[in-house]
């Protein structure tokens, strides 16, 4: 069984789910983009737990490709799963690290007992990952994961949504499924 994937354009901080994935930086202390929005909307309880995780588990910062969970604070979710995606590099293939960010997030979701997870397009913002490649890696990794809950990709632009739709169609075609997604 594979995850049921839903795609939508929208603000990840407004979508109800068991877990919302934060495209965090290694400090886990907030930042710009999705990370900043999640910390602002979720409130200080998220930052408090992130500080404790930094103090006890990752004093030098969480490595790219890993994931941890905190409360969701005031978000419409039970948990926030923080993952650090890689910065895009034309000289070094970091695809395995991006795959790991999705895979580890789903492993953490399963450990928590989450039945629904909402992802942003990890690394496809300020970290510069090309949209088409980011979408392909995200969809392929989620579909190959043993996680069997509902997965939603909340994408920040119509263009990113189009890349994810194309990745779902291509993946369905490759698996012999319904090309419409």
């Amino acid at each position: 069984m594979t995850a049921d994937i839903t795609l939508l354009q929208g603000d990840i901080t407004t979508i109800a789910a068991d877990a919302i994935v934060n495209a965090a930086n290694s400090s886990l202390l907030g930042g710009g983009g999705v990370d900043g929005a999640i910390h602002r909307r979720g409130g200080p309880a998220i930052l408090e737990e992130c500080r404790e995780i930094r103090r006890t588990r990752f004093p030098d910062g969480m490595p790219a490709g890993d994931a941890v969970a905190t409360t969701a604070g005031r978000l419409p979710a039970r948990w926030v799963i923080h993952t650090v995606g890689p910065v895009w590099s034309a000289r070094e293939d970091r695809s395995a690290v991006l795959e790991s960010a999705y895979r580890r997030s789903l492993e953490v979701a399963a450990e928590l007992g989450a039945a629904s997870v909402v992802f942003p397009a990890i690394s496809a913002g300020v970290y510069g990952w090309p949209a088409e490649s980011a979408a392909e890696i995200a969809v392929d990794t989620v579909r190959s994961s043993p996680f069997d809950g509902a997965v939603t990709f909340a994408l920040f632009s119509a263009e990113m949504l189009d890349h994810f739709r194309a990745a779902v169609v291509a993946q369905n075609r490759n698996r012999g499924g319904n090309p419409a997604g």
Side-chain angles (χ1 to χ4, degrees), residues 31-177:
V34 170
D35 193 16
I38 285 174
H39 277 273
R40 280 190 303 277
R41 180 84 51 116
I46 296 172
L47 182 58
E48 185 178 315
E49 285 191 31
C50 285
R51 284 186 174 136
E52 182 64 13
I53 290 167
R54 279 295 307 275
R55 189 181 70 73
T56 59
R57 290 181 58 189
F58 297 113
D60 297 324
M62 188 167 74
D66 206 347
V68 295
T70 65
T71 181
R74 297 186 302 250
L75 294 168
R78 293 179 66 188
W79 303 284
V80 172
I81 298 171
H82 306 266
T83 191
V84 179
V87 174
W88 165 254
S89 171
R91 291 186 286 275
E92 179 184 348
D93 182 5
R94 298 177 179 167
S95 299
V97 180
L98 184 54
E99 291 167 11
S100 180
Y102 283 102
R103 188 173 46 259
R104 282 289 302 132
S105 295
L106 291 172
E107 289 169 0
V108 170
E111 290 166 10
L112 294 167
S116 58
V117 179
V118 181
F119 279 100
I122 298 168
S123 292
V126 296
Y127 283 11
W129 204 280
E132 183 177 349
S133 172
E136 290 169 359
I137 290 169
V139 170
D140 289 349
T141 304
V142 167
R143 283 273 171 87
S144 66
S145 164
F147 184 79
D148 65 356
V151 173
T152 299
F153 287 99
L155 305 159
F156 56 87
S157 70
E159 179 183 356
M160 188 62 70
L161 179 62
D162 288 343
H163 286 294
F164 272 74
R165 281 186 182 138
V168 167
V169 168
Q171 220 255 358
N172 285 344
R173 227 181 259 129
N174 290 341
R175 296 179 127 209

